[in-house]
Amino acid sequence: MKKINVLILLIFTAFYGYGQNNEFEKKLNKFRFSLNKELEKYDDEKIYNLKFDKNDSIIILIDNFAFENENKIKIYRENILKKYENNPDFKFNINEYKKADFNEINDNLNGLNLSKNVPLSKLLWINPITEISAFKTIYFSQKRGAVKLALFNAKTSITSSLIETRKINKNQWEIIDNSYDIVSKFIYDLKKGKVIDVEIFEKK
């Protein structure tokens, strides 16, 4: 559990940006920009180590924003997932990949309270595509080591993933992310606002 939390902190240095595609994204960007002023209250070390707790003023602001916009955040997430639904460009040949062991992470997913252990997760993982990228980084960190992680991050800064989504039921979506070196399958729960299951496939 400790290992996962440390890795999550490392991941947040490379999260995705948000575009200006709708009114909520504009509101979100405006809110995130306003946090610059709040960050001036903290020393540099606390910021680059992301050592915030639930009593920090910046976390209180984030919690309030998330609470006040709970329904809009759910709609925002669903719209992002719909964007990749039945993607005609998506390709994945299962025969070219072998399933990796991700059981340890999956065993801890239900008990992983991100908002408690990593308070910034409430803001940084508003976008489900950002969250799934974090699990790919966790996999490379834990299973492949620092060199492979650095290589993977370098490749993803040059290339892009192919993503396809499929609605499973009222609250759950399947997300498949083909990053070429690995293919990741996720079950994302809109009601819980988080990934509840992960499968990783490595290129043979």
Side-chain angles (χ1 to χ4, degrees):
M1 206 57 162
K2 260 185 186 177
K3 278 184 184 177
I4 295 171
N5 292 335
V6 170
L7 287 168
I8 289 167
L9 286 171
L10 293 171
I11 289 158
F12 288 156
T13 59
F15 57 84
Y16 287 80
Y18 295 89
Q20 295 286 336
N21 295 329
N22 59 42
E23 288 305 309
F24 178 70
E25 282 188 335
K26 291 176 183 176
K27 184 176 184 179
L28 177 58
N29 285 341
K30 186 177 178 181
F31 171 70
R32 290 181 68 168
F33 183 80
S34 74
L35 296 177
N36 281 297
K37 197 165 185 66
E38 200 62 30
L39 286 171
E40 289 180 344
K41 299 176 181 178
Y42 298 97
D43 62 62
D44 293 348
E45 186 178 354
K46 181 158 186 165
I47 295 170
Y48 66 67
N49 284 318
L50 298 172
K51 285 187 176 178
F52 300 105
D53 62 51
K54 64 179 182 179
N55 298 314
D56 280 310
S57 60
I58 193 167
I59 302 304
I60 292 169
L61 286 171
I62 290 167
D63 285 348
N64 288 340
F65 179 85
F67 178 76
E68 289 166 6
N69 294 280
E70 187 175 357
N71 289 331
K72 289 179 181 177
I73 289 170
K74 186 176 179 182
I75 293 167
Y76 172 70
R77 286 169 167 158
E78 190 164 22
N79 286 338
I80 289 172
L81 293 168
K82 283 178 179 176
K83 188 172 83 171
Y84 298 99
E85 198 170 11
N86 302 316
N87 181 359
D89 296 321
F90 182 84
K91 294 175 183 176
F92 169 40
N93 183 351
I94 188 67
N95 296 320
E96 294 177 359
Y97 293 82
K98 59 181 180 181
K99 190 172 180 180
D101 180 11
F102 212 64
N103 292 332
E104 186 183 347
I105 303 296
N106 274 320
D107 289 344
N108 289 317
L109 276 178
N110 287 329
L112 190 61
N113 185 343
L114 289 174
S115 60
K116 179 181 176 183
N117 297 306
V118 188
L120 279 172
S121 65
K122 195 169 285 189
L123 174 68
L124 301 180
W125 284 7
I126 281 179
N127 185 330
I129 303 305
T130 306
E131 182 176 351
I132 68 168
S133 71
F135 284 100
K136 292 188 290 181
T137 305
I138 288 173
Y139 168 73
F140 272 92
S141 299
Q142 290 199 347
K143 303 295 184 181
R144 304 295 295 278
V147 173
K148 289 289 187 182
L149 172 60
L151 179 61
F152 179 73
N153 285 339
K155 285 183 177 181
T156 55
S157 70
I158 299 167
T159 65
S160 63
S161 296
L162 290 175
I163 298 171
E164 182 176 61
T165 60
R166 179 176 65 89
K167 192 170 185 177
I168 299 171
N169 55 45
K170 184 181 176 183
N171 291 311
Q172 294 180 350
W173 285 73
E174 179 184 65
I175 307 170
I176 308 178
D177 176 295
N178 184 348
S179 300
Y180 190 77
D181 289 329
I182 60 168
V183 171
S184 317
K185 291 177 72 175
F186 306 89
I187 303 299
Y188 186 86
D189 193 300
L190 271 175
K191 190 174 182 181
K192 295 177 180 177
K194 68 175 187 175
V195 168
I196 59 169
D197 188 74
V198 185
E199 287 182 275
I200 300 285
F201 299 85
E202 287 185 322
K203 197 163 181 60
K204 290 179 181 175

